[in-house]
Amino acid sequence: MIDIIIPFYNRKNLIQKAIQSVKNQTFQNWILWLIDDGSTDGGLKDLKLEWGSDKIKIISLEKRRGVSFARNKGLELSQREWVAFLDSDDEWHPKKLEKQIKYAYKNPDKPLIHCNEIWIKNGSLLLQKKKHKKEGGRVFIPSTKICCISPSAALIKRSLFKEIGGFNEKFPVCEDYELWLRITSRYEVGFVEEPLVTKYGGHKDQLSKTYPAMDYWRVKALKEFLSNKSLSQEEQTQVKKVLSEKCNILLRGYEKHNNLTHKKEVKDLLQLAIT
């Protein structure tokens, strides 16, 4: 019933905990796709030895293509009704899939169901701020401000990807933010209030540390919704407001660091937002 997709790159010291959390699920009707995004640390060989199973499939990409490509490869191989994603450094709680599938049976109109999370950074519990509050229903407006759905917390109908497409492979980061905008602009989402995922942060190889000006990718995603006629007037206003705010933040940063790389593009986006 569920295809689970874990993309990974050089994570042999972290990924085994993620895989074990899948094997510990009380709901066992799943196939796990491990998509090795061109790892160079020998992790694939170790995984084959320790985790070989007819329920666990390992796909090795010849070279690193990025997390969006890796997830989309898993989607291409998937055949089951539902798809769940798990980041290689995160961990599911044992009843994660069971509780989401039960919710899905009761709410067949929700093609995406997510849940609350526990955050651990550098070994310590990280308290979530008010802006990080998770919810269900029509969540397009909060989704413009911040990435309020985690891939590791999401259970998604595979048919939805046929309708809207997969992850945008042009986005090296914020690919999940861009996808949630596409989904939440069309559908209400389901939500299980219980925390069913533990997310771990603080790793040296996290993408957020490689791309400090991540708002650049968020404004590129927001641009596509400036003329989206399926949005309400309030939602259209929100897109312009958030786009303007994020562009101004980026421009101040570009001025401070004398960074001209995307300055003109962001200035042009700002003009679109305020006209």
Side-chain angles (χ1 to χ4, degrees), residues 119 127-135 142 145-146 148:
W119 293 357
L127 297 178
Q128 299 179 40
K129 298 178 181 179
K130 185 178 180 180
K131 67 179 182 179
H132 298 124
K133 179 178 170 58
K134 309 291 189 293
E135 57 187 330
K145 302 174 186 176
I146 194 170
C148 59

Side-chain angles (χ1 to χ4, degrees), residues 101-212:
I101 284 295
K102 284 181 178 178
Y103 183 99
Y105 284 144
K106 295 177 181 178
N107 300 272
D109 60 324
K110 303 293 193 301
L112 184 155
I113 302 159
H114 69 126
C115 62
N116 258 322
E117 309 154 348
I118 294 171
W119 293 357
I120 304 293
K121 185 174 183 179
N122 297 322
S124 299
L125 178 67
L126 185 64
L127 297 178
Q128 299 179 40
K129 298 178 181 179
K130 185 178 180 180
K131 67 179 182 179
H132 298 124
K133 179 178 170 58
K134 309 291 189 293
E135 57 187 330
R138 182 75 179 181
V139 297
F140 178 80
I141 285 180
S143 295
T144 62
K145 302 174 186 176
I146 194 170
C147 192
C148 59
I149 300 173
S150 163
S152 294
L155 179 69
I156 307 173
K157 274 197 171 181
R158 192 167 63 89
S159 59
L160 182 57
F161 292 104
K162 290 185 177 180
E163 176 187 340
I164 68 167
F167 289 88
N168 190 329
E169 294 174 17
K170 294 180 181 180
F171 278 57
V173 288
C174 301
E175 76 294 333
D176 47 351
Y177 174 89
E178 191 272 343
L179 178 66
W180 308 141
L181 288 180
R182 278 187 277 142
I183 293 175
T184 60
S185 68
R186 300 187 187 202
Y187 293 100
E188 291 189 355
V189 304
F191 179 62
V192 178
E193 191 169 353
E194 182 179 348
L196 299 173
V197 178
T198 298
K199 292 180 62 62
Y200 295 91
H203 314 305
K204 293 180 180 179
D205 61 348
Q206 282 188 295
L207 287 175
S208 58
K209 295 185 178 181
T210 308
Y211 294 88

Side-chain angles (χ1 to χ4, degrees), residues 217-235:
W217 296 98
R218 296 188 182 105
V219 300
K220 287 179 73 70
L222 285 167
K223 175 190 173 184
E224 302 304 314
F225 292 87
L226 282 171
S227 58
N228 190 312
K229 299 192 186 303
S230 67
L231 300 178
S232 69
Q233 185 60 53
E234 182 186 8
E235 289 168 337

Side-chain angles (χ1 to χ4, degrees), residues 253-266:
Y254 293 158
E255 290 289 344
K256 180 178 179 180
H257 299 288
N258 195 27
N259 182 353
L260 304 179
T261 307
H262 301 298
K263 186 175 179 179
K264 183 181 183 305
E265 181 183 359
V266 173

